[in-house]
């Protein structure tokens, strides 16, 4: 991912203003460490920080048409750029960059060319012939983008909030699938798929059509001139991404350049048996005896201890899938303390205080740094599948196909605020690009046109979550995955890295946020008031990084259980008392679900503070560091 910054129509065209724009653009340098550029035309500035994936030698930005009358700064990948070049025979391209087609498409088709782009993108295009401009963002919001307004009437556009928050009177998220036109004076939606209306589709399920659509989505994302790999948690989505990539890599240009050996990456907590025994010997008597005499059940004490040392389900499953596919597999290990130490950096880079996003972003942030250190610049990831197919465990309680489908539509529309934001910013923090084939425009169209009755979870018929996706790749003759991986239960990323990760975060927040702070939370944070100590802790950090009032308004809020929308909380009456974004909050569904009666106190972070504070501290026990095993 690159970083773009544009200041359009400002009242100052001086050298000092140019220096200021360059200074702000450097705040985005982590997104594009390979090159930087700026173009000034009168009182407008277009700046760019480049991460070179396609044509590293000549694709520096901003980009121009033949006579340089049209200027573009782009963050993205245009997967069909070769086809688009062929449709423009009378144009001369300056570079081999996939984004070079944008200026020429505008010359040919005016503002109505955006839907022709197949890819992920955020761009600003300045037409110097009449000093007009357009701003556009991809269909789902896989690339991040913000828009702001200065007191002098200027319009600011930036890949991240930190590029404009100090200089704008107001700013907000630029909506996905939209275009801003200075000629029209406002926003309009260019992406208008049939599912957007949330009308119930009726197309019959065809597993081969669904399979081919996904394979095509993966294949087009193998377009790269730099080393790449796949993120492999061992869950269904990432495993399918890895399987399809491994199956079709040999026939691509990337394979000719970098070889056919696919690299895969996984992150998780791992507590070895030696450490577990050391810690258990030191604390089991103290902890269990203490809780035993303080009216908490012995069985609950045992579960608290075991959960604290739970390893990563993803590491085990990821290694198994990697062995099956024959990838060069890299495991990244981190401790709870490693993650806690990174929280402030994670919030600064992801620009959110949403609890589930921060929980999941932290392991991804740590992993991305290690991946980049290995020389890899692009990874393919599995985001989006759960939203499209109703893969979150709370979908087990969907009362009918109508509400099931409406929930999936709303989840896809909100992805830019959650999983897309996480995947984009956690990786871009270290100059790594993430591509997400499940959010391919054509694949979404195919998947969302299917009658949602086929997506409904019916245990009595053996149909678990995402059954139609699993069935599409259940090939007996040429299997894509082992059966037990193909039908593995959904595990949210923040849970899959190790259950004790979330428990450790809650415990840490409990040490830093008092009951009095929570009591006054509605006065300190009247907008999106945090309801847990963990949420309060993240909010404090966020407000230190981004104190502007507009900043807090860019983050979504509302009740949620296991990543649901607020509407879906109504599907089960018990959920309203157990609002937690972890998949384990799906009571009666997750195999490691919180117990209904003890949900408030099962994890360490939820045990009453007076109990935790009196437990003797563990001394003299080293914890596993952040290591790589290849």
């Amino acid at each position: 991912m690159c970083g773009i910054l544009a200041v359009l129509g400002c009242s100052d065209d001086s050298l000092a203003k140019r220096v200021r724009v360059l200074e702000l653009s450097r705040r985005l340098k982590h997104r594009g460490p390979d090159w930087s550029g700026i173009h000034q035309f009168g009182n407008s500035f277009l700046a760019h920080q480049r991460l070179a994936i396609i044509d590293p030698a000549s694709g520096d930005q901003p980009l121009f048409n033949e006579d340089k009358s049209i200027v573009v700064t782009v963050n993205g990948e245009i997967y069909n750029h070769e086809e688009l070049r062929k449709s423009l025979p009378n144009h001369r391209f300056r570079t081999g960059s996939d984004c070079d087609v944008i200026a020429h498409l505008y010359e040919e088709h005016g503002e109505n060319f955006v839907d022709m782009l197949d890819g992920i993108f955020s761009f600003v295009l300045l037409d110097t012939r009449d000093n007009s401009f357009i701003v556009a963002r991809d269909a789902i919001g896989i690339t991040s983008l913000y828009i702001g307004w200065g007191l002098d009437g200027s319009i600011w556009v930036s890949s991240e909030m930190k590029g404009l928050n100090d200089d704008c009177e107001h700013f907000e998220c630029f909506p996905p699938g939209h275009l801003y036109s200075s000629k029209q004076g406002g926003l309009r939606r260019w992406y208008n798929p049939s599912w957007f209306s949330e009308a119930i589709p009726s197309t019959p399920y065809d597993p081969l059509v669904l399979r081919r659509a996904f394979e095509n989505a993966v294949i087009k994302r193998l377009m790269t001139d730099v080393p790449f790999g796949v993120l492999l948690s061992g869950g269904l989505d990432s495993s399918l991404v890895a399987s399809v990539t491994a199956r079709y890599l040999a026939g691509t240009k990337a394979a000719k350049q970098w070889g056919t050996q696919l690299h895969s990456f996984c992150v998780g907590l791992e507590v070895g048996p030696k450490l577990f025994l050391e810690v258990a010997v030191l604390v089991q008597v103290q902890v269990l005896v203490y809780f035993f005499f303080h009216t908490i059940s012995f069985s609950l004490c045992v579960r608290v201890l075991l959960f604290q040392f739970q390893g990563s389900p993803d590491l085990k499953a990821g290694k198994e899938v990697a062995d099956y596919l024959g990838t060069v597999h890299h495991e990244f290990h981190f401790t709870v303390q490693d993650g806690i130490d990174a929280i402030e950096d994670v919030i600064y880079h992801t620009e959110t205080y949403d609890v589930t996003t921060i929980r999941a972003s932290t392991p991804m942030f740590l992993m991305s740094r290690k991946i980049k250190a290995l020389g890899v610049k692009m990874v393919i990831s599995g985001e989006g599948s759960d939203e499209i197919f109703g893969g979150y465990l709370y979908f087990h309680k969907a009362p009918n196909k109508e509400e099931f489908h409406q929930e999936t539509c709303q989840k896809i529309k909100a992805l830019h605020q959650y999983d897309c934001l996480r995947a984009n910013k956690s990786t871009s923090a270290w100059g790594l690009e993430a591509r997400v084939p499940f959010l391919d425009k054509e694949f979404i169209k195919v998947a969302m046109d299917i009658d949602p009755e086929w997506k409904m979870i019916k245990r009595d018929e053996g149909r678990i979550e995402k059954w139609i996706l699993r069935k599409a790749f259940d090939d007996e003759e040429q299997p894509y995955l082992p059966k037990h991986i193909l039908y593995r239960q959904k595990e949210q990323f923040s849970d899959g890295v190790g259950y004790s990760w979330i428990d450790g975060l809650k415990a840490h927040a409990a040490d830093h946020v008092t009951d009095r702070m929570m009591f006054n939370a509605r006065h300190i944070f009247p907008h999106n008031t945090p309801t847990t100590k963990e949420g309060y802790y993240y909010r404090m950090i966020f407000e230190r990084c981004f104190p502007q009032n507009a900043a807090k308004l860019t983050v979504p809020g509302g009740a949620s259980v296991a990543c649901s929308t607020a509407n879906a909380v109504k599907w089960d009456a018990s959920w309203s008392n157990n609002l937690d974004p972890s998949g384990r909050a799906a009571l009666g569904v997750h195999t490691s679900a919180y117990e209904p009666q003890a949900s408030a106190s099962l994890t360490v972070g939820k045990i009453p503070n007076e109990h935790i504070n009196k437990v003797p501290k563990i001394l003299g026990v080293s914890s596993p560091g952040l290591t790589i095993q290849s």
Side-chain angles (χ1 to χ4, degrees):
M1 289 292 136
C2 302
I4 66 172
L5 175 66
V7 185
L8 304 152
C10 61
S11 59
D12 181 5
D13 60 359
S14 67
L15 178 61
K17 187 67 173 182
R18 181 187 176 95
V19 170
R20 176 58 177 166
V21 174
L22 280 170
E23 178 187 346
L24 293 172
S25 178
R26 281 194 287 272
R27 294 184 184 181
L28 310 176
K29 194 173 183 178
H30 54 274
R31 298 182 63 90
D34 296 335
W35 194 255
S36 56
I38 188 170
H39 180 80
Q40 179 181 358
F41 178 77
N43 59 358
S44 293
F45 301 82
L46 273 67
H48 189 265
Q49 300 288 341
R50 188 187 185 202
L51 179 66
I53 303 291
I54 303 297
D55 186 24
S58 68
D60 296 337
Q61 295 193 35
L63 297 165
F64 304 90
N65 64 337
E66 290 89 343
D67 63 4
K68 292 194 172 184
S69 61
I70 297 169
V71 194
V72 188
T73 181
V74 194
N75 167 35
E77 302 291 341
I78 309 303
Y79 302 124
N80 63 337
H81 74 104
E82 292 182 350
E83 298 168 26
L84 292 172
R85 284 172 184 265
K86 292 174 183 176
S87 72
L88 299 164
N90 299 322
H91 290 257
R92 180 174 57 85
F93 296 91
R94 293 175 171 272
T95 77
S97 168
D98 52 296
C99 295
D100 210 353
V101 297
I102 292 175
H104 302 277
L105 287 170
Y106 173 80
E107 279 190 294
E108 284 292 319
H109 305 283
E111 296 181 353
N112 298 317
F113 72 92
V114 181
D115 198 25
M116 299 170 66
L117 302 175
D118 183 5
I120 54 176
F121 53 82
S122 296
F123 68 79
V124 179
L125 182 150
L126 176 65
D127 187 339
T128 64
R129 296 171 298 186
D130 58 6
N131 207 26
S132 64
F133 65 88
I134 61 173
V135 184
R137 188 180 183 188
D138 64 67
I140 305 299
I142 297 164
T143 59
S144 56
L145 194 66
Y146 294 81
I147 185 169
W149 294 266
L151 282 174
D152 61 354
S154 58
I155 292 179
W156 295 60
V157 181
S158 176
S159 293
E160 295 184 4
M161 189 161 58
K162 60 183 67 68
L164 50 69
N165 61 320
D166 287 336
D167 289 57
C168 289
E169 184 67 14
H170 178 72
F171 53 88
E172 57 194 48
C173 290
F174 193 96
H178 278 70
L179 178 144
Y180 181 93
S181 167
S182 64
K183 292 178 181 177
Q184 303 295 325
L187 286 162
R188 70 173 185 270
R189 187 150 56 88
W190 65 263
Y191 178 57
N192 296 286
S194 56
W195 62 265
F196 213 85
S197 68
E198 301 182 15
I200 310 304
S202 58
T203 304
Y205 168 54
D206 185 330
L208 290 182
V209 170
L210 188 64
R211 183 197 293 183
R212 291 192 195 103
F214 182 67
E215 289 179 329
N216 290 337
V218 172
I219 291 167
K220 70 176 69 169
R221 282 159 180 78
L222 300 181
M223 177 188 81
T224 177
D225 290 333
V226 298
F228 79 102
V230 294
L231 303 185
L232 179 57
S233 70
L236 173 68
D237 307 329
S238 67
S239 297
L240 284 177
V241 168
S243 179
V244 173
T245 302
R247 185 168 291 207
Y248 290 99
L249 177 59
T252 65
K253 292 180 180 178
K256 294 176 183 176
Q257 231 176 335
W258 305 107
T260 58
Q261 190 72 58
L262 180 64
H263 286 253
S264 58
F265 309 96
C266 186
V267 66
L269 294 169
E270 186 168 42
V271 179
K274 182 176 183 292
L275 175 65
F276 181 89
L277 288 174
E278 288 177 347
V279 176
V281 167
L282 282 170
V283 303
Q284 64 178 333
V285 175
Q286 299 173 54
V287 174
L288 297 180
V289 169
Y290 179 82
F291 283 126
F292 184 81
F293 288 106
H294 285 76
T295 69
I296 297 179
S297 73
F298 185 83
S299 63
L300 178 57
C301 298
V302 173
R303 291 198 66 190
V304 169
L305 185 62
L306 291 177
F307 260 85
Q308 185 67 3
F309 299 103
Q310 178 77 40
S312 167
D314 284 356
L315 285 177
K316 180 176 181 294
K319 179 67 165 60
E320 185 176 359
V321 175
D323 289 344
Y324 181 82
L325 298 176
T327 68
V328 178
H329 193 56
H330 308 265
E331 286 186 356
F332 303 153
H333 300 167
F334 76 103
T335 66
V336 172
Q337 190 60 53
D338 291 326
I340 288 171
D341 291 343
I343 289 292
E344 189 152 348
D345 285 340
V346 169
I347 291 173
Y348 173 76
H349 280 287
T350 59
E351 303 179 323
T352 186
Y353 50 83
D354 175 68
V355 169
T356 190
T357 302
I358 294 167
R359 287 177 177 180
S361 293
T362 305
M364 197 170 197
F365 175 85
L366 295 172
M367 175 172 58
S368 296
R369 186 176 192 178
K370 291 294 185 180
I371 292 174
K372 186 61 184 291
L374 294 176
V376 172
K377 296 178 73 172
M378 184 272 282
V379 291
I380 308 179
S381 189
E383 280 76 17
S385 172
D386 292 313
E387 287 74 15
I388 294 169
F389 296 104
Y392 292 108
L393 297 185
Y394 72 88
F395 276 95
H396 280 248
K397 300 294 182 75
N400 52 59
K401 73 175 187 178
E402 289 79 15
E403 289 194 50
F404 189 108
H405 181 70
Q406 289 163 2
E407 177 75 3
T408 59
C409 292
Q410 290 166 24
K411 290 289 292 180
I412 297 171
K413 291 175 185 178
L415 266 170
H416 68 286
Q417 297 175 305
Y418 296 102
D419 284 19
C420 286
L421 179 148
R422 167 179 57 78
N424 180 277
K425 293 183 178 179
S426 297
T427 54
S428 293
W430 302 108
L432 182 69
E433 177 175 293
R435 296 180 181 177
V436 284
F438 279 110
L439 296 179
D440 179 82
K441 272 197 307 182
E442 184 57 32
F443 179 74
I444 293 177
K445 180 181 184 302
V446 170
M448 292 302 289
D449 277 349
I450 297 171
D451 187 333
E453 183 66 32
W454 288 96
K455 298 180 182 179
M456 290 285 286
I457 298 160
K458 299 181 179 180
R459 288 178 172 178
D460 55 338
E461 298 178 19
R463 284 166 51 176
I464 63 173
E465 65 276 358
K466 295 187 284 193
W467 177 83
I468 64 171
L469 180 62
R470 300 174 196 270
K471 190 66 176 174
F473 287 90
D474 194 349
D475 190 323
E476 297 287 349
E477 295 181 3
Q478 294 181 305
Y480 285 77
L481 294 168
K483 285 274 191 182
H484 65 283
I485 294 291
L486 193 60
Y487 290 94
R488 181 189 176 198
Q489 184 182 62
K490 162 67 184 172
E491 197 75 80
Q492 285 169 213
F493 184 56
S494 54
D495 285 330
V497 297
Y499 296 146
S500 54
W501 165 234
I502 291 176
D503 301 336
L505 286 174
K506 290 179 178 180
H508 180 74
D511 285 342
H512 290 78
V513 178
T514 66
D515 292 341
R516 181 173 295 276
M517 292 162 76
M518 288 302 300
F519 181 78
N520 292 315
R522 68 188 186 280
H523 303 296
I524 304 299
F525 305 118
H527 176 76
N528 279 349
T529 303
T531 58
T532 66
K533 290 186 176 183
E534 185 185 4
Y536 194 108
Y537 179 69
Y538 299 154
R539 185 66 173 271
M540 288 192 299
I541 298 172
F542 178 87
E543 300 260 349
R544 286 202 303 270
C545 295
F546 307 103
Q548 298 84 1
N549 185 62
K552 65 176 69 73
L553 302 179
T554 65
V555 181
S560 176
V561 62
C563 291
S564 74
T565 67
N567 289 334
V569 173
K570 302 171 186 175
W571 291 352
D572 189 310
S574 67
W575 289 348
S576 60
N577 298 318
N578 193 48
L579 297 176
D580 190 285
S582 168
R584 287 182 286 153
L587 304 179
V589 178
H590 195 289
T591 55
S592 298
Y594 301 142
E595 291 181 2
Q597 289 80 12
S599 61
S601 59
L602 175 60
T603 62
V604 171
K606 288 292 187 178
I607 293 172
N609 289 341
E610 65 271 19
H611 293 168
I612 289 291
N613 294 336
K614 293 179 183 177
V615 175
K617 301 295 182 183
I618 302 170
L619 299 174
V621 179
S622 61
S623 58
L626 184 62
T627 60
I628 298 180
Q629 295 178 354
S630 301

